[in-house]
Amino acid sequence: MTTFSPRRRPVGQILVAVTLAAQPMLAPAETVLITGANSGIGLEFTKQYAAMGWDVIATHRRSQTPATLAEVMAEHPNVIEERLDVTSVEQARALAERLADMPIDVLINNAGVYNDRSACERDDGCAGEWSTQSFGNLDYSLLDTIMAVNIKGPLIVSEALYGNVRASEQKKIIAISSSNGTLTGEPEPRPGAIFYRMSKAALNREMQIVAASTRPDGVTVIMFNPGPTLTEHQEYLRGQFEGMLETSFTVGHMIDTIDEVTIEDTGSFLRYDGAPEAW
């Protein structure tokens, strides 16, 4: 073992050291972990939390750093990336081991699949294919993918990183859902997008049960409807429908709502601005 010998310092240095020691220690930055952080809503969460000074753990399933995320990391040294396929129990548990001593104040389950993007480039503005989710033309391999990412993924990640959330100050688990998952809020259900819509209904029920399971630990679980958001994959809808929301707008409101919710709200399905949503 190396032994360090004490060295005498000039009185001026001693006074400076004492003065600095007497100053209050800065509180550690809050920490957020975001899945699917390389595009859309997840990327915007990463940008906004980073700009707020939070420590951001941005996860993605790419083998290399996505260009979209690299740009944010270059501007904000408080953003680190972690590779995570949310459908892999092994990867989620390995991530939990790497982050064993790191409390996570807010865990955002954002990663999701909404349609067939097999013909798209990775993070481009391609709209993807919706026809294979219409009754009479269903692609059941797509169903397996959507169910794995949208339902199993949030459960795997929430359970694997639960110790980190429980060890934090805020103790919040967030799931990005959709009004498409409502069972009672659509008086006349329309056809189409059957896989995506059923996955969000299942996600809401799943996280409601997670909320009941984790409430004794003081963990708040919230499901969000971000509204009709103009992510890069939805840009083709700009100007076609009224009420479309900028990604920065809905994410900013969700961040404000996350900050305001308490354990009394756990298990709630909320709009981005905190208004209750119909199940």
Side-chain angles (χ1 to χ4, degrees):
M1 183 176 68
T2 304
T3 302
F4 294 95
S5 300
R7 291 189 288 177
R8 297 178 62 83
R9 291 182 291 173
V11 173
Q13 290 186 19
I14 295 174
L15 290 175
V16 170
V18 170
T19 301
L20 291 174
Q23 293 180 350
M25 296 292 291
L26 293 175
E30 293 145 312
T31 299
V32 58
L33 185 144
I34 304 159
T35 66
N38 56 294
S39 65
I41 287 174
L43 181 63
E44 186 63 27
F45 267 122
T46 300
K47 291 177 179 178
Q48 292 199 27
Y49 271 116
M52 291 166 58
W54 282 52
D55 289 333
V56 181
I57 305 167
T59 78
H60 60 87
R61 61 184 178 87
R62 310 292 189 223
S63 58
Q64 297 180 332
T65 305
T68 51
L69 196 53
E71 184 178 343
V72 180
M73 293 169 63
E75 183 179 355
H76 297 284
N78 50 327
V79 177
I80 64 170
E81 65 170 331
E82 289 284 355
R83 186 169 183 269
L84 174 64
D85 178 345
V86 298
T87 69
S88 170
V89 175
E90 293 75 18
Q91 285 190 26
R93 289 176 178 171
L95 177 59
E97 289 182 8
R98 293 197 298 274
L99 302 177
D101 298 322
M102 183 178 292
I104 296 173
D105 292 277
V106 178
L107 170 60
I108 300 180
N109 289 291
N110 164 76
V113 174
Y114 51 90
N115 66 1
D116 180 5
R117 290 180 49 79
S118 59
C120 299
E121 296 296 328
R122 288 191 167 182
D123 294 316
D124 66 1
C126 173
E129 176 61 57
W130 284 102
S131 66
T132 53
Q133 291 190 61
S134 296
F135 188 75
N137 188 40
L138 297 175
D139 177 358
Y140 288 100
S141 63
L142 177 62
L143 170 63
D144 292 339
T145 299
I146 288 179
M147 295 296 109
V149 176
N150 294 7
I151 301 175
K152 186 170 76 169
L155 202 57
I156 288 174
V157 173
S158 297
E159 187 176 44
L161 296 170
Y162 185 64
N164 304 76
V165 174
R166 188 173 52 192
S168 73
E169 291 293 325
Q170 292 203 30
K171 298 181 174 64
K172 293 175 181 178
I173 296 175
I174 307 301
I176 304 304
S177 185
S178 170
S179 60
N180 283 287
T182 185
L183 297 178
T184 62
E186 193 177 48
E188 296 183 8
R190 66 193 187 284
I194 187 170
F195 298 157
Y196 176 74
R197 292 160 72 187
M198 62 194 274
S199 77
K200 292 303 184 180
L203 172 66
N204 285 348
R205 180 57 170 163
E206 158 188 300
M207 299 310 289
Q208 186 184 47
I209 297 170
V210 170
S213 304
T214 62
R215 181 170 186 142
D217 290 331
V219 174
T220 301
V221 180
I222 299 293
M223 295 75 76
F224 271 120
N225 168 26
T229 307
L230 287 166
T231 65
E232 62 270 36
H233 307 315
Q234 302 273 55
E235 270 294 330
Y236 72 99
L237 295 175
R238 185 179 291 276
Q240 295 188 37
F241 301 99
E242 292 185 3
M244 297 295 293
L245 305 174
E246 297 293 341
T247 310
S248 57
F249 173 87
T250 187
V251 168
H253 278 282
M254 283 191 284
I255 289 175
D256 289 343
T257 303
I258 290 168
D259 186 56
E260 294 172 0
V261 293
T262 70
I263 191 62
E264 297 306 313
D265 303 300
T266 196
S268 298
F269 180 29
L270 304 177
R271 195 171 64 186
Y272 54 87
D273 58 1
E277 285 283 10
W279 290 90

